[in-house]
Amino acid sequence: MAKRRSKPLHHPSTFSIPPATRAAIRRHLGRWYDGSRRDLPWRRTSDPYAVWVSEVMLQQTQVKTATPYYQRFLEQFPDVARLAAADERAVLKAWEGLGYYSRARNMHKASKLIAGRLAGRLPDDWSGMRGLPGVGDYIAAAVLSIAHGRTYAVVDGNVKRVLARLFRVEVPVNRPAGHNAYQALADELLDAADPGRHNQALMELGAMVCTPKQPACHQCPICRFCRALQAEAVHWYPLRAESRRIPQKHRAVGVVLKRGRLLLTRRPGHGLLAGLWEFPGGPVDDGEILTSAFAGSIAETTGLTVAVDRKVVTVRHTYTHFKLHMEVFLCHWRSGKVRLKGPTAFRWVSLGELSEFPLHKAMHKALPALEKLLRTQGG
């Protein structure tokens, strides 16, 4: 049982790391990393483009999930020029399943800028990196430190957790206002002699040893400096402000069948899941679905008159800011030509052609039930 926190507790804006402690932490952390780091594909290269791709993918995505995507992505788009020349649909298809698709769209936009204005070379300075679409402080610091040895400290969730326990800081990790405080601590601790190694070591420690629920403190190379461990209060840190309850949204979509082909529509190029493809539909109030009202929604967004046949499946999926409850219906085309209101493009496709389009995760969850139904019906 962890003890209750006791004063004094430290706020990064008022706490300074003693020079001898800084030096010792850097030394022990670096030695541990050299001997214990995972063999990950992006650690075998110093190519700024490859490092950039890996850091974009690793934002809000676990290593085990990102690794095969990273390898396939570099095979398909091995350099900035190839990525810049690619069609957005191909880029989104390569990203399909990773989520947070704005990362892929911004990287694609940035590659065009780099290829067109910067001779195909990523910037090696702060202002240049931060000027690229989708590149914030974290990615800029990671790429510049790892690929170019620039002295910028990275701060992600793993780093915040390590720092919070190491120095018993009182700033919640899940509030934007606290980020600058953790950044100040990371800057002070940074090893200027090898910032890329230091940054990766700190992140690796958080990922492999100083984990959220069951930290392996006995394996930590810097446990002798950990104030939370000394106070038997490791599990109190990092502090988190109470999160708001995630709202639930209801949506109904229609798989419109016409002469054996299905209607796909593309979402607008901005906002949630921008540019991805889906079956047409719309929001449903209070989770209640009336077939007549649903058919009207299809008519409004596509211009088609349809007959609702049957429900295919109910899909539940959690996004960052809401939970989606989606009812999927099989519909038959009755009349009309496609005239879109909301979506930006459409295609009539066969069941086999669905795999050629980048679909969002909720749509993928509906596909097994849809394929089973259509094959049973001979559609």
Side-chain angles (χ1 to χ4, degrees), residues 33 37-47 50-51 54 67 70-71 74 146 200:
Y33 180 69
R37 65 185 179 185
R38 290 169 291 177
D39 180 22
L40 301 174
W42 47 85
R43 289 179 177 163
R44 304 169 198 156
T45 179
S46 59
D47 175 18
V51 174
S54 71
T67 299
Y70 169 83
Q71 294 171 319
L74 286 187
I146 296 170
Q200 293 181 90

Side-chain angles (χ1 to χ4, degrees), residues 357-379:
F357 292 80
L359 309 175
H360 56 81
K361 190 67 174 181
M363 288 293 150
H364 272 286
K365 287 185 174 182
L367 292 185
L370 173 63
E371 292 173 353
K372 181 179 179 180
L373 175 61
L374 292 181
R375 294 191 193 285
T376 300
Q377 293 186 343

Side-chain angles (χ1 to χ4, degrees), residues 157-225:
N158 286 323
V159 171
K160 286 181 179 179
R161 184 167 58 257
V162 172
L163 295 177
R165 290 169 173 170
L166 194 58
F167 302 113
R168 295 184 67 198
V169 295
E170 278 272 281
V171 180
V173 294
N174 59 336
R175 286 292 180 263
H179 182 80
N180 289 341
Y182 281 97
Q183 184 70 60
L185 264 182
D187 290 342
E188 188 176 358
L189 190 61
L190 181 66
D191 185 356
D194 197 342
R197 171 177 173 252
H198 175 90
N199 282 331
Q200 293 181 90
L202 206 54
M203 291 188 287
E204 186 80 339
L205 186 69
M208 303 303 295
V209 177
C210 195
T211 53
K213 294 183 178 180
Q214 294 182 323
C217 297
H218 62 288
Q219 298 178 10
C220 179
I222 55 175
C223 63
R224 73 192 70 179
F225 307 104

